[in-house]
Amino acid sequence: MSGDNSQDLTIPGICEGYLLKRRKWPLKGWHKRYFVLETGILRYSKTQQDITRGKLHGSLDVGLAVMSINKKSNRIDLDAGDVLYHMKANSHDLFYIWVAKLSAHRMFKKNEAAQVHNGFFQALSQGTSVPGLAQRNGMQDVVSPLTVSGNESRRTPSVTDSAAEYFDASDGVLNGSFSESESGLSEGTTSNSEPEEGHGEHTYTRSTPNCVVPKNTGRRTTLAAHCPDNAQVGLMQILYNNIGKDLSRVSMPAALNEPINLMQRLCEELEYSELLDTANNTQDPYQRMVYVGAFAISGYATAHYRNRYKPFNPLLGETYECLREDKGFRYISEQVCHHPPISACHADSDNFSFWQDQRWKNKFWGKSLEIMPTGMVNVTLPRFGDHYEWNKVVTCIHNVLSQQRYLEHYGEVIIRNLNGNACTCKITFVKSRYWGSDTNKNEVQGTVLDQTGSVIHRFGGLWHEGIFCDTLPTPQCIWKPNSQPKDYYLYYGFSSFTLELNELTPGLKPLLPPTDSRLRPDQRMLEDGRVDDCDKFKEEVEDMQRERRKQLAKKGQEHTPRFFKKAMDSSGRDVWLTNGTYWKVRENPGFANTKNLELW
């Protein structure tokens, strides 16, 4: 081994001490933890004594992680794909020491991997056995934490890299060339870092009954064209330039989109609205809460097949209606705000009313993409006067730049009846253990509690397969998703219900306002397979939106939503509620006889 290679494989010095670490879901805030960085492995525990006793809370190979930093808040984020650490130092000097040490250990791990790689191919070419790494006993030299080399070559990462990285601390931060805007890390975001160290022991079997075959609705069962192959799209460069930023403000190429938008995504949550029909006809309040809980879970099911494309961002003032006589509900949605993007919706039927306004924050951490919704979901059941309210959990796409990407939901949902205190419901979307098997992948556990906190019902299962409740008078599967349509993978992973959302029939078109999503040309172009045309028109549509905003700003005016009004809920939060005019205008005088926005 040459002298240069020996220097490359010099083991950096050990770095250890206390840092602040973001608390595990569902808890918020930061707590003090003791970290030890040795030979490229970062371990942590509650105290130094716990480390000495071998009682670890977690560990991470920094050579496999992407690192991003925020100098202003002394924050370091490590994204290894399956696990995400958020850490903060108490002082700027300590922050610099840890950044330098992490950079040195990451470089060591990469050089070590490269040495093995090169040795392997050299052995193959010479027909000899693969040599191990050279013995490094006695080679442990301490690397000064403030003199880490900043000469690592900078290049656009490749998907084929064994350890993809988008920002190396040693590339510029120690030389003063790091731009604060690169990290864009928000202190106010709620990030769910890594798996909980222990969950409740009550678990559910993965076996569920066969999927329900959806009824034939007479609507379409395919799209006009297959989804485009976006493997060659420069997603890496796009995300590389936006680590830690809110991606909802980043324009993406059309090939990364699916031909529905975020308002239609909200409508997808009503695919299993029959659970609310059942709840409205269930006398027992505790059993009623079980069905409401199952409905809250069912809205996540379709995401299991949808990790390759993102929905369109609606334009300000864009609308979408969904009238489903077969399911007994009608739904209306409107994009009521652009910055921040807010989609409001309302649905009603004889058995329930459903409404929410959702805002999404999308954060890319280097290998994982977190989608963090804010806003509450509301459901009322007229027969009993119940008003249920609940939050949503985080959705995370892991290994977003590789072909092994997967999606999971994690966090806690709390369902409360605002018009009665007989019971509450707690639902936990379990975060998979990155160091273990898939035994708890997509697991969800729910409990219905009475006023004293006693458990009345337990239910659970897998959010993509079904939910079972064994505490009902007759233990039963209370929900299971419909089977996927034939060749669903060729059509963006859409369910049968989703395939129907953007369908435009001749009889429907004259009844819609010109702002309806079905009439948006670029979205329709993508559905028809005209990806290049979609890209061009999408850019034009976004330019038109920016121009409308400029004109309003010059006049000192703001956009006023047409079908929703701003209000305040019982907790003092701003919410968007229907003003009740959409279906009235649709019936008389009809949108063709009214003044409408020109969005495209």
Side-chain angles (χ1 to χ4, degrees):
M1 184 182 296
S2 67
D4 289 341
N5 287 338
S6 297
Q7 180 62 37
D8 288 343
L9 289 176
T10 298
I11 303 176
I14 297 174
C15 186
E16 57 184 304
Y18 283 100
L19 293 171
L20 295 177
K21 181 179 178 298
R22 186 182 285 279
R23 302 181 75 185
K24 296 172 181 174
W25 68 267
L27 304 175
K28 298 181 180 180
W30 302 77
H31 54 191
K32 189 167 71 171
R33 290 293 179 260
Y34 195 84
F35 286 84
V36 175
L37 178 62
E38 184 177 10
T39 61
I41 304 299
L42 181 66
R43 298 172 290 138
Y44 82 94
S45 195
K46 193 171 183 179
T47 64
Q48 184 177 12
Q49 290 73 24
D50 286 346
I51 289 285
T52 304
R53 291 195 294 261
K55 184 180 178 182
L56 298 180
H57 283 191
S59 64
L60 179 150
D61 186 337
V62 298
L64 301 178
V66 176
M67 183 169 74
S68 57
I69 70 169
N70 188 319
K71 290 196 293 184
K72 189 175 295 184
S73 59
N74 295 333
R75 177 165 162 174
I76 304 169
D77 300 282
L78 293 171
D79 183 359
D82 290 334
V83 62
L84 182 59
Y85 285 4
H86 301 289
M87 305 172 295
K88 283 201 297 189
N90 281 326
S91 70
H92 203 54
D93 288 343
L94 186 61
F95 164 75
Y96 266 96
I97 290 173
W98 274 99
V99 168
K101 281 290 188 178
L102 285 164
S103 301
H105 280 261
R106 292 175 73 242
M107 178 65 72
F108 162 74
K109 293 293 287 186
K110 290 169 64 178
N111 289 339
E112 183 182 58
Q115 182 71 25
V116 173
H117 185 270
N118 293 337
F120 176 78
F121 282 103
Q122 183 179 4
L124 288 180
S125 64
Q126 296 176 353
T128 60
S129 60
V130 179
L133 284 176
Q135 295 296 321
R136 297 188 299 269
N137 295 333
M139 293 174 59
Q140 185 168 343
D141 297 327
V142 175
V143 177
S144 171
L146 299 182
T147 58
V148 177
S149 171
N151 297 324
E152 182 181 350
S153 61
R154 187 117 175 141
R155 61 181 177 84
T156 302
S158 165
V159 175
T160 58
D161 285 350
S162 59
E165 60 188 279
Y166 304 92
F167 165 70
D168 280 318
S170 60
D171 283 349
V173 65
L174 302 180
N175 296 330
S177 62
F178 175 68
S179 167
E180 288 294 337
S181 63
E182 272 192 81
S183 85
L185 297 175
S186 169
E187 290 302 304
T189 60
T190 304
S191 179
N192 299 291
S193 300
E194 64 203 85
E196 188 64 86
E197 287 154 11
H199 296 292
E201 294 182 1
H202 190 92
T203 58
Y204 295 85
T205 175
R206 297 179 67 90
S207 61
T208 56
N210 293 329
C211 293
V212 175
V213 178
K215 297 178 181 178
N216 187 347
T217 61
R219 294 177 170 86
R220 68 183 185 182
T221 57
T222 63
L223 300 179
H226 294 168
C227 52
D229 179 9
N230 57 18
Q232 304 304 317
V233 176
L235 177 61
M236 182 173 293
Q237 185 62 46
I238 296 171
L239 297 179
Y240 168 66
N241 293 327
N242 292 281
I243 289 181
K245 296 182 181 179
D246 185 355
L247 295 182
S248 63
R249 299 191 179 193
V250 179
S251 182
M252 298 285 186
L256 296 176
N257 286 93
E258 58 186 16
I260 63 168
N261 64 27
L262 287 169
M263 297 187 298
Q264 292 166 311
R265 271 283 182 104
L266 292 180
C267 188
E268 286 188 83
E269 296 178 23
L270 290 168
E271 179 170 357
Y272 302 99
S273 60
E274 59 270 15
L275 288 165
L276 297 180
D277 297 335
T278 302
N280 193 50
N281 289 286
T282 300
Q283 284 288 339
D284 183 88
Y286 303 109
Q287 293 182 28
R288 200 156 61 240
M289 183 65 90
V290 170
Y291 289 107
V292 173
F295 173 77
I297 295 169
S298 71
Y300 294 93
T302 188
H304 183 63
Y305 306 98
R306 307 271 286 282
N307 59 21
R308 296 183 297 152
Y309 302 89
K310 64 174 288 291
F312 275 77
N313 293 326
L315 300 171
L316 185 62
E318 188 172 342
T319 62
Y320 176 73
E321 74 161 59
C322 184
L323 181 58
R324 293 298 296 249
E325 296 178 355
D326 58 323
K327 289 180 172 289
F329 73 78
R330 60 183 187 178
Y331 167 96
I332 171 62
S333 183
E334 181 178 7
Q335 189 73 2
V336 296
C337 187
H338 186 60
H339 287 309
I342 302 176
S343 302
C345 70
H346 183 95
D348 53 61
S349 77
D350 292 339
N351 287 314
F352 66 86
S353 290
F354 163 93
W355 71 92
Q356 62 178 310
D357 58 83
Q358 287 297 327
R359 312 131 204 240
W360 292 268
K361 284 186 176 180
N362 305 315
K363 291 287 185 177
F364 175 63
W365 297 107
K367 288 190 177 182
S368 306
L369 176 64
E370 282 188 323
I371 303 167
M372 295 162 281
T374 60
M376 306 294 283
V377 184
N378 294 264
V379 165
T380 58
L381 303 180
R383 184 175 179 182
F384 304 101
D386 293 344
H387 178 180
Y388 299 97
E389 180 186 76
W390 65 87
N391 61 293
K392 290 185 172 180
V393 296
V394 170
T395 297
C396 186
I397 303 176
H398 296 281
N399 302 321
V400 68
L401 296 172
S402 77
Q403 297 302 311
Q404 287 76 42
R405 73 175 68 109
Y406 66 96
L407 178 149
E408 68 172 333
H409 310 293
Y410 44 74
E412 282 188 349
V413 174
I414 304 296
I415 305 178
R416 294 182 175 88
N417 184 356
L418 302 183
N419 291 341
N421 58 0
C423 59
T424 58
C425 180
K426 175 183 175 182
I427 302 171
T428 300
F429 286 75
V430 180
K431 195 177 194 308
S432 60
R433 300 176 185 272
Y434 65 95
W435 61 83
S437 64
D438 289 341
T439 53
N440 70 330
K441 189 174 181 182
N442 298 348
E443 183 182 344
V444 61
Q445 303 172 3
T447 54
V448 175
L449 311 171
D450 65 12
Q451 297 180 32
T452 67
S454 299
V455 175
I456 305 301
H457 288 296
R458 293 185 185 274
F459 58 92
L462 304 173
W463 52 257
H464 72 296
E465 287 188 1
I467 302 300
F468 188 85
C469 183
D470 57 6
T471 54
L472 293 174
T474 303
Q476 59 184 287
C477 177
I478 53 177
W479 167 77
K480 51 189 173 183
N482 298 321
S483 59
Q484 285 292 96
K486 181 182 179 182
D487 297 328
Y488 68 90
Y489 193 81
L490 299 177
Y491 300 110
Y492 303 90
F494 285 174
S495 67
S496 296
F497 183 80
T498 309
L499 283 170
E500 300 165 357
L501 289 179
N502 206 49
E503 184 176 12
L504 184 60
T505 59
L508 179 62
K509 187 174 181 179
L511 302 176
L512 297 175
T515 53
D516 193 273
S517 301
R518 294 177 183 86
L519 304 174
R520 180 169 171 173
D522 52 345
Q523 189 169 310
R524 183 65 60 183
M525 290 172 183
L526 178 61
E527 183 179 292
D528 292 339
R530 299 161 55 195
V531 180
D532 292 339
D533 291 339
C534 174
D535 256 324
K536 295 176 184 177
F537 200 90
K538 182 171 178 283
E539 186 174 343
E540 293 178 12
V541 166
E542 291 169 350
D543 287 341
M544 291 169 61
Q545 176 171 242
R546 282 188 282 269
E547 184 59 30
R548 285 193 299 273
R549 291 182 61 216
K550 287 180 182 178
Q551 293 303 319
L552 284 174
K554 286 182 180 179
K555 299 175 183 178
Q557 299 175 353
E558 292 184 353
H559 172 79
T560 302
R562 186 176 182 183
F563 304 112
F564 287 82
K565 59 185 178 182
K566 198 171 186 179
M568 189 171 290
D569 67 9
S570 58
S571 300
R573 294 181 294 252
D574 288 335
V575 293
W576 289 91
L577 305 175
T578 176
N579 59 21
T581 62
Y582 182 88
W583 300 105
K584 294 178 181 178
V585 175
R586 188 184 192 271
E587 182 178 353
N588 185 25
F591 293 113
N593 300 312
T594 62
K595 184 179 180 181
N596 302 287
L597 281 175
E598 294 184 13
L599 300 182
W600 39 73

